[in-house]
Short mmCIF file of all heavy atoms in Angstrom, two decimals:
data_model
loop_
_atom_site.label_atom_id
_atom_site.label_comp_id
_atom_site.label_asym_id
_atom_site.label_seq_id
_atom_site.Cartn_x
_atom_site.Cartn_y
_atom_site.Cartn_z
N VAL A 110 12.32 -11.98 23.68
CA VAL A 110 11.60 -10.82 23.09
C VAL A 110 11.72 -9.64 24.05
O VAL A 110 11.95 -8.49 23.65
CB VAL A 110 10.13 -11.15 22.81
CG1 VAL A 110 9.36 -9.89 22.48
CG2 VAL A 110 10.02 -12.13 21.64
N LEU A 111 11.57 -9.89 25.35
CA LEU A 111 11.58 -8.83 26.33
C LEU A 111 13.00 -8.25 26.43
O LEU A 111 13.17 -7.04 26.67
CB LEU A 111 11.17 -9.38 27.71
CG LEU A 111 9.74 -9.95 27.74
CD1 LEU A 111 9.45 -10.54 29.12
CD2 LEU A 111 8.67 -8.90 27.40
N ALA A 112 14.05 -9.09 26.37
CA ALA A 112 15.40 -8.60 26.49
C ALA A 112 15.94 -8.04 25.18
O ALA A 112 16.98 -7.33 25.21
CB ALA A 112 16.29 -9.76 26.98
N ASN A 113 15.32 -8.33 24.06
CA ASN A 113 15.85 -7.93 22.76
C ASN A 113 16.21 -6.45 22.66
O ASN A 113 17.28 -6.09 22.19
CB ASN A 113 14.87 -8.35 21.64
CG ASN A 113 15.52 -8.92 20.44
OD1 ASN A 113 16.76 -9.05 20.41
ND2 ASN A 113 14.79 -9.22 19.43
N PRO A 114 15.30 -5.55 23.07
CA PRO A 114 15.66 -4.12 22.99
C PRO A 114 16.87 -3.76 23.84
O PRO A 114 17.69 -2.91 23.42
CB PRO A 114 14.41 -3.41 23.48
CG PRO A 114 13.31 -4.42 23.30
CD PRO A 114 13.94 -5.74 23.54
N GLU A 115 17.04 -4.40 24.97
CA GLU A 115 18.19 -4.16 25.85
C GLU A 115 19.44 -4.66 25.18
O GLU A 115 20.50 -4.00 25.23
CB GLU A 115 18.00 -4.76 27.19
CG GLU A 115 16.86 -4.16 28.02
CD GLU A 115 16.70 -4.87 29.37
OE1 GLU A 115 15.93 -5.89 29.37
OE2 GLU A 115 17.31 -4.46 30.30
N ILE A 116 19.38 -5.88 24.62
CA ILE A 116 20.55 -6.46 23.98
C ILE A 116 21.01 -5.58 22.82
O ILE A 116 22.22 -5.40 22.58
CB ILE A 116 20.22 -7.91 23.47
CG1 ILE A 116 19.84 -8.81 24.63
CG2 ILE A 116 21.36 -8.48 22.69
CD1 ILE A 116 19.33 -10.20 24.20
N ALA A 117 20.05 -5.01 22.12
CA ALA A 117 20.37 -4.18 20.94
C ALA A 117 20.66 -2.72 21.30
O ALA A 117 20.83 -1.88 20.37
CB ALA A 117 19.25 -4.24 19.94
N ASN A 118 20.64 -2.37 22.60
CA ASN A 118 20.87 -1.01 23.07
C ASN A 118 19.88 0.02 22.49
O ASN A 118 20.28 1.09 22.06
CB ASN A 118 22.34 -0.57 22.76
CG ASN A 118 23.35 -1.28 23.63
OD1 ASN A 118 23.15 -1.44 24.81
ND2 ASN A 118 24.44 -1.77 22.98
N LEU A 119 18.61 -0.37 22.45
CA LEU A 119 17.62 0.51 21.93
C LEU A 119 17.27 1.59 23.02
O LEU A 119 17.58 1.38 24.21
CB LEU A 119 16.36 -0.22 21.53
CG LEU A 119 16.53 -1.23 20.36
CD1 LEU A 119 15.24 -1.82 19.96
CD2 LEU A 119 17.25 -0.57 19.18
N PRO A 120 16.60 2.67 22.63
CA PRO A 120 16.28 3.69 23.64
C PRO A 120 15.39 3.20 24.76
O PRO A 120 14.64 2.16 24.60
CB PRO A 120 15.52 4.76 22.76
CG PRO A 120 15.96 4.49 21.38
CD PRO A 120 16.23 3.05 21.27
N GLY A 121 15.42 3.89 25.90
CA GLY A 121 14.65 3.46 27.05
C GLY A 121 13.16 3.40 26.78
O GLY A 121 12.42 2.52 27.31
N TRP A 122 12.61 4.30 25.97
CA TRP A 122 11.18 4.30 25.70
C TRP A 122 10.74 3.03 24.97
O TRP A 122 9.63 2.58 25.11
CB TRP A 122 10.73 5.60 25.00
CG TRP A 122 11.25 5.72 23.58
CD1 TRP A 122 12.36 6.34 23.17
CD2 TRP A 122 10.58 5.24 22.40
NE1 TRP A 122 12.47 6.28 21.82
CE2 TRP A 122 11.40 5.59 21.30
CE3 TRP A 122 9.43 4.49 22.16
CZ2 TRP A 122 11.08 5.27 19.98
CZ3 TRP A 122 9.08 4.23 20.84
CH2 TRP A 122 9.90 4.58 19.78
N VAL A 123 11.62 2.46 24.16
CA VAL A 123 11.29 1.21 23.47
C VAL A 123 11.24 0.04 24.43
O VAL A 123 10.33 -0.76 24.38
CB VAL A 123 12.35 0.93 22.37
CG1 VAL A 123 11.98 -0.38 21.64
CG2 VAL A 123 12.40 2.05 21.36
N ILE A 124 12.15 0.03 25.41
CA ILE A 124 12.15 -0.99 26.42
C ILE A 124 10.86 -0.92 27.26
O ILE A 124 10.19 -1.87 27.55
CB ILE A 124 13.40 -0.86 27.35
CG1 ILE A 124 14.64 -1.09 26.50
CG2 ILE A 124 13.31 -1.82 28.50
CD1 ILE A 124 15.94 -0.73 27.30
N ALA A 125 10.46 0.34 27.61
CA ALA A 125 9.21 0.59 28.36
C ALA A 125 8.00 0.11 27.53
O ALA A 125 7.05 -0.49 28.06
CB ALA A 125 9.10 2.02 28.76
N LEU A 126 8.03 0.38 26.27
CA LEU A 126 6.96 -0.03 25.39
C LEU A 126 6.79 -1.53 25.32
O LEU A 126 5.66 -2.06 25.37
CB LEU A 126 7.14 0.55 23.97
CG LEU A 126 6.08 0.31 22.92
CD1 LEU A 126 4.78 0.98 23.38
CD2 LEU A 126 6.49 0.84 21.55
N VAL A 127 7.89 -2.22 25.26
CA VAL A 127 7.85 -3.71 25.22
C VAL A 127 7.30 -4.26 26.52
O VAL A 127 6.57 -5.24 26.52
CB VAL A 127 9.30 -4.26 24.95
CG1 VAL A 127 9.33 -5.76 25.15
CG2 VAL A 127 9.69 -3.95 23.51
N ALA A 128 7.68 -3.64 27.64
CA ALA A 128 7.12 -4.10 28.92
C ALA A 128 5.61 -3.94 28.94
O ALA A 128 4.87 -4.88 29.35
CB ALA A 128 7.72 -3.26 30.09
N ALA A 129 5.07 -2.81 28.49
CA ALA A 129 3.62 -2.62 28.40
C ALA A 129 2.98 -3.58 27.43
O ALA A 129 1.89 -4.09 27.72
CB ALA A 129 3.32 -1.18 28.01
N GLY A 130 3.64 -3.86 26.29
CA GLY A 130 3.11 -4.78 25.33
C GLY A 130 3.02 -6.21 25.83
O GLY A 130 2.05 -6.93 25.58
N GLY A 131 4.10 -6.64 26.54
CA GLY A 131 4.12 -8.01 27.06
C GLY A 131 3.03 -8.20 28.06
O GLY A 131 2.30 -9.23 28.07
N LEU A 132 2.76 -7.20 28.89
CA LEU A 132 1.67 -7.29 29.87
C LEU A 132 0.33 -7.27 29.21
O LEU A 132 -0.63 -8.04 29.59
CB LEU A 132 1.77 -6.13 30.89
CG LEU A 132 2.93 -6.28 31.89
CD1 LEU A 132 3.11 -4.97 32.66
CD2 LEU A 132 2.68 -7.46 32.85
N ALA A 133 0.18 -6.46 28.16
CA ALA A 133 -1.10 -6.39 27.40
C ALA A 133 -1.40 -7.73 26.83
O ALA A 133 -2.57 -8.23 26.88
CB ALA A 133 -1.03 -5.32 26.33
N ALA A 134 -0.43 -8.42 26.24
CA ALA A 134 -0.63 -9.72 25.59
C ALA A 134 -1.07 -10.75 26.60
O ALA A 134 -2.03 -11.51 26.38
CB ALA A 134 0.66 -10.17 24.90
N ALA A 135 -0.38 -10.82 27.73
CA ALA A 135 -0.71 -11.86 28.72
C ALA A 135 -2.02 -11.58 29.39
O ALA A 135 -2.86 -12.52 29.60
CB ALA A 135 0.43 -11.91 29.80
N LEU A 136 -2.30 -10.32 29.74
CA LEU A 136 -3.54 -10.01 30.46
C LEU A 136 -4.76 -10.14 29.59
O LEU A 136 -5.82 -10.54 30.08
CB LEU A 136 -3.45 -8.55 31.00
CG LEU A 136 -2.41 -8.32 32.12
CD1 LEU A 136 -2.32 -6.86 32.47
CD2 LEU A 136 -2.74 -9.16 33.38
N SER A 137 -4.64 -9.83 28.26
CA SER A 137 -5.82 -9.93 27.39
C SER A 137 -6.31 -11.36 27.31
O SER A 137 -7.50 -11.64 27.39
CB SER A 137 -5.47 -9.38 26.02
OG SER A 137 -4.45 -10.12 25.39
N THR A 138 -5.36 -12.31 27.10
CA THR A 138 -5.77 -13.71 27.03
C THR A 138 -6.23 -14.26 28.34
O THR A 138 -7.18 -15.03 28.43
CB THR A 138 -4.60 -14.54 26.46
OG1 THR A 138 -4.23 -13.97 25.20
CG2 THR A 138 -5.04 -15.96 26.25
N ALA A 139 -5.52 -13.86 29.42
CA ALA A 139 -5.95 -14.35 30.75
C ALA A 139 -7.39 -13.92 31.04
O ALA A 139 -8.18 -14.73 31.58
CB ALA A 139 -4.98 -13.78 31.81
N ALA A 140 -7.78 -12.67 30.67
CA ALA A 140 -9.13 -12.24 30.93
C ALA A 140 -10.13 -13.03 30.11
O ALA A 140 -11.17 -13.43 30.65
CB ALA A 140 -9.22 -10.74 30.53
N GLY A 141 -9.80 -13.30 28.85
CA GLY A 141 -10.72 -14.11 28.06
C GLY A 141 -10.93 -15.55 28.60
O GLY A 141 -12.03 -16.08 28.64
N LEU A 142 -9.83 -16.14 29.05
CA LEU A 142 -9.91 -17.47 29.61
C LEU A 142 -10.67 -17.50 30.92
O LEU A 142 -11.52 -18.38 31.16
CB LEU A 142 -8.50 -17.98 29.88
CG LEU A 142 -7.68 -18.34 28.65
CD1 LEU A 142 -6.20 -18.45 28.99
CD2 LEU A 142 -8.17 -19.67 28.03
N LEU A 143 -10.45 -16.51 31.78
CA LEU A 143 -11.21 -16.43 33.03
C LEU A 143 -12.68 -16.23 32.77
O LEU A 143 -13.52 -16.82 33.52
CB LEU A 143 -10.68 -15.28 33.86
CG LEU A 143 -9.25 -15.50 34.45
CD1 LEU A 143 -8.71 -14.20 35.03
CD2 LEU A 143 -9.33 -16.56 35.58
N LEU A 144 -13.03 -15.52 31.74
CA LEU A 144 -14.43 -15.33 31.43
C LEU A 144 -15.11 -16.60 31.02
O LEU A 144 -16.21 -16.91 31.51
CB LEU A 144 -14.60 -14.25 30.32
CG LEU A 144 -16.05 -13.89 30.02
CD1 LEU A 144 -16.63 -13.13 31.19
CD2 LEU A 144 -16.14 -13.09 28.76
N VAL A 145 -14.51 -17.41 30.16
CA VAL A 145 -15.15 -18.66 29.75
C VAL A 145 -15.20 -19.64 30.94
O VAL A 145 -16.17 -20.42 30.98
CB VAL A 145 -14.43 -19.30 28.55
CG1 VAL A 145 -14.45 -18.40 27.34
CG2 VAL A 145 -13.01 -19.75 28.85
N ILE A 146 -14.25 -19.60 31.83
CA ILE A 146 -14.30 -20.45 33.01
C ILE A 146 -15.54 -20.07 33.88
O ILE A 146 -16.33 -20.89 34.27
CB ILE A 146 -13.01 -20.44 33.83
CG1 ILE A 146 -11.87 -21.05 33.01
CG2 ILE A 146 -13.18 -21.15 35.18
CD1 ILE A 146 -10.50 -20.82 33.65
N SER A 147 -15.63 -18.79 34.16
CA SER A 147 -16.71 -18.32 35.02
C SER A 147 -18.09 -18.48 34.39
O SER A 147 -19.07 -18.84 35.01
CB SER A 147 -16.51 -16.80 35.38
OG SER A 147 -16.63 -15.99 34.23
N THR A 148 -18.12 -18.28 33.01
CA THR A 148 -19.37 -18.49 32.35
C THR A 148 -19.80 -19.92 32.33
O THR A 148 -21.01 -20.24 32.50
CB THR A 148 -19.22 -18.00 30.86
OG1 THR A 148 -18.85 -16.63 30.86
CG2 THR A 148 -20.52 -18.19 30.07
#
C-alpha cells in the first residue's frame, strides 16, 4: 500500500499523503491499546 503510489508514478503529494495516513492508522490504534493496558 505504501509503495503503490510510487509504483504507479503518482504525484509527490499523494506519496506524502500516504505516508501521513499510514502513520495515522498505526498511531491511532497504538494509542488505544496503550490506554487499555495502562487503565
Side-chain angles (χ1 to χ4, degrees):
V110 169
L111 301 175
N113 221 3
E115 295 177 271
I116 297 172
N118 289 316
L119 297 186
W122 66 268
V123 179
I124 297 171
L126 184 62
V127 169
L132 287 170
L136 293 175
S137 63
T138 304
L142 289 163
L143 290 167
L144 185 69
V145 299
I146 292 169
S147 66
T148 301

